Amino acid sequence: RDEQQPNGVLPSIIPSNGWGYEWGNGPDWTSTITIIPWNIYLFYGDQKLLADCYDNIKRYVDHITEISPDGLTTWGLGDWVPVKSVSPVELTSTCYYYADAVILAKTAKILGKPADEQKYTALFNRIKTVFNQKYLNPNTAIYADGFQTEMSAPLYWGLVPDEYKSKVAANLAKRVAADNFHLDVGLLGQKAILNALSENGYADVAYKIASQKTYPSWGWWMENGATTLYENWKIDAKSDISLNHIMFGEIGAWLYKGLGGIKPDPANPGFKNVLLQPNFVNGLDHFEAKHAGPFGTISSSWQRKGKRILFTVFIPANSSATVKLPKINGLQVFADRKLISADTLQLESGKYTLVWK
């Protein structure tokens, strides 16, 4: 907040000695003013940072609106350091502009500001409409040129109309297959692609990307001795080659979300109610994730035993969990030897083992 200018603009680095207000900033970089307070709220149930930053978020979103009267914004760096395919800055920056407006509208509701809630709800609906009018081909369910970033960013940030989600996700999966299950993204695409796939029925495809060991991939770095995250997919690049850079780090969070399935519940933030949506991906026989939430450690573990899959969860005291039960062809779900026919299961605190057999 200290670095924000009166018109709402933030620099691309903080703290700043004055550099970064004219280059490198924009919704794709400086939406931190919105996204960080929102995630603190989701993960800890604490509204204070949202309340403290509320006016700053408003100034920021209002500035984007002022310079982007048609609802689409070209302000930003775009999909920084891509493998090969270059996506329009307008597409990626508008996704973040939309996300900012959505968070602002939700925050207004939480803080009891109905006029602002109505104003920014109308704004994000308008952004979504003009975005899809320009970039979505309704006949093919393909965004722009169909590159990985162009397909995954709208899915991840929620701009895809409900009636097109399954088709867009299928087209994204086809694109990844055409790219030999390797990444063809930059910074913004890597944030979206694994989540967009695993949240829309293609966790196996996401895992194929995540587990690659040849270029371009996270595994390629490791095969070449990396013990940290790099700034560039190319290990012999001549620029943008920091060897300790978080920007391609979404894979770490995805392991918890996409495989372990541990997610905060926006309706009951701070893990008062845990969302558990595991994916038993092909090619992996065992996975375990633990998250230290405000009520204690949440554990999600699954393993294959012959033709069975065992899913063991631990929900800490004074909290609960909503489990989305994966559908596995030919297998049924049992809890305490009782058949579970529902798609979801509500659990109170304690340790449970569910069996697919």
Side-chain angles (χ1 to χ4, degrees), residues 305-337:
K305 285 195 171 183
K307 295 183 179 180
R308 300 187 304 160
I309 300 174
L310 278 65
F311 177 48
T312 301
V313 301
F314 180 79
I315 310 302
N318 300 312
S319 59
S320 58
T322 303
V323 184
K324 182 179 179 181
L325 303 172
K327 293 185 181 298
I328 311 296
N329 288 337
L331 300 183
Q332 295 177 307
V333 189
F334 293 83
D336 293 330
R337 299 183 180 180

Side-chain angles (χ1 to χ4, degrees), residues 10-316:
L10 289 157
S12 55
I13 60 169
I14 293 176
S16 171
N17 63 357
W19 184 88
Y21 287 99
E22 302 296 334
W23 184 88
N25 54 350
D28 50 4
W29 228 255
T30 47
S31 287
T32 46
I33 189 65
T34 305
I35 294 172
I36 289 176
W38 180 249
N39 276 282
I40 294 296
Y41 168 71
L42 289 180
F43 276 72
Y44 296 95
D46 188 348
Q47 300 178 12
K48 186 177 187 303
L49 195 56
L50 280 175
D52 289 348
C53 293
Y54 186 75
D55 289 339
N56 304 85
I57 297 170
K58 278 186 65 175
R59 291 208 308 272
Y60 185 66
V61 171
D62 288 347
H63 176 74
I64 305 172
T65 302
E66 181 182 357
I67 64 173
S68 313
D70 63 352
L72 302 171
T73 184
T74 58
W75 185 29
L77 277 178
D79 198 25
W80 196 242
V81 195
V83 174
K84 60 178 187 292
S85 298
V86 178
S87 302
V89 171
E90 185 181 73
L91 185 149
T92 51
S93 284
T94 300
C95 285
Y96 279 84
Y97 176 29
Y98 173 81
D100 291 336
V102 169
I103 290 172
L104 182 50
K106 290 179 178 179
T107 301
K109 182 177 182 179
I110 291 167
L111 299 179
K113 300 176 183 292
D116 279 357
E117 180 191 358
Q118 184 177 9
K119 174 183 176 180
Y120 293 106
T121 297
L123 175 62
F124 75 67
N125 282 326
R126 178 171 175 267
I127 296 168
K128 184 174 183 177
T129 297
V130 297
F131 178 86
N132 284 299
Q133 286 174 344
K134 179 163 185 179
Y135 286 107
L136 174 62
N137 183 326
N139 297 317
T140 61
I142 289 175
Y143 281 90
D145 292 316
F147 297 146
Q148 290 182 20
T149 294
E150 294 167 348
M151 300 295 287
S152 60
L155 268 174
Y156 176 67
W157 291 111
L159 286 93
V160 181
D162 289 343
E163 64 270 27
Y164 287 98
K165 279 184 180 178
S166 62
K167 293 180 180 179
V168 171
N171 283 331
L172 172 59
K174 290 176 183 176
R175 180 70 199 203
V176 171
D179 291 325
N180 197 27
F181 298 99
H182 280 69
L183 292 163
D184 182 22
V185 295
L187 166 63
L188 307 181
Q190 70 82 37
K191 176 69 178 178
I193 190 165
L194 299 180
N195 298 295
L197 288 165
S198 60
E199 291 171 3
N200 290 281
Y202 294 93
D204 285 338
V205 176
Y207 179 68
K208 283 186 178 181
I209 297 173
S211 58
Q212 291 291 346
K213 294 184 178 180
T214 54
Y215 173 84
S217 67
W218 291 278
W220 172 243
W221 292 342
M222 296 172 68
E223 290 292 302
N224 285 272
T227 57
T228 54
L229 293 162
Y230 288 1
E231 188 184 6
N232 203 311
W233 299 117
K234 297 178 181 178
I235 59 175
D236 58 350
K238 302 303 180 185
S239 62
D240 303 314
I241 194 56
S242 163
L243 302 184
N244 188 12
H245 225 70
I246 189 57
M247 75 179 202
F248 286 131
E250 177 62 21
I251 187 172
W254 176 79
L255 294 173
Y256 290 85
K257 297 180 289 182
L259 298 182
I262 301 174
K263 301 176 183 179
D265 181 354
N268 296 276
F271 292 99
K272 180 65 176 175
N273 185 66
V274 184
L275 298 183
L276 286 172
Q277 302 171 351
N279 288 296
F280 311 144
V281 294
N282 293 322
L284 194 62
D285 291 330
H286 174 258
F287 185 82
E288 182 176 5
K290 294 181 179 180
H291 175 71
F295 294 93
T297 299
I298 303 155
S299 175
S300 169
S301 174
W302 56 265
Q303 61 179 320
R304 301 181 190 277
K305 285 195 171 183
K307 295 183 179 180
R308 300 187 304 160
I309 300 174
L310 278 65
F311 177 48
T312 301
V313 301
F314 180 79
I315 310 302

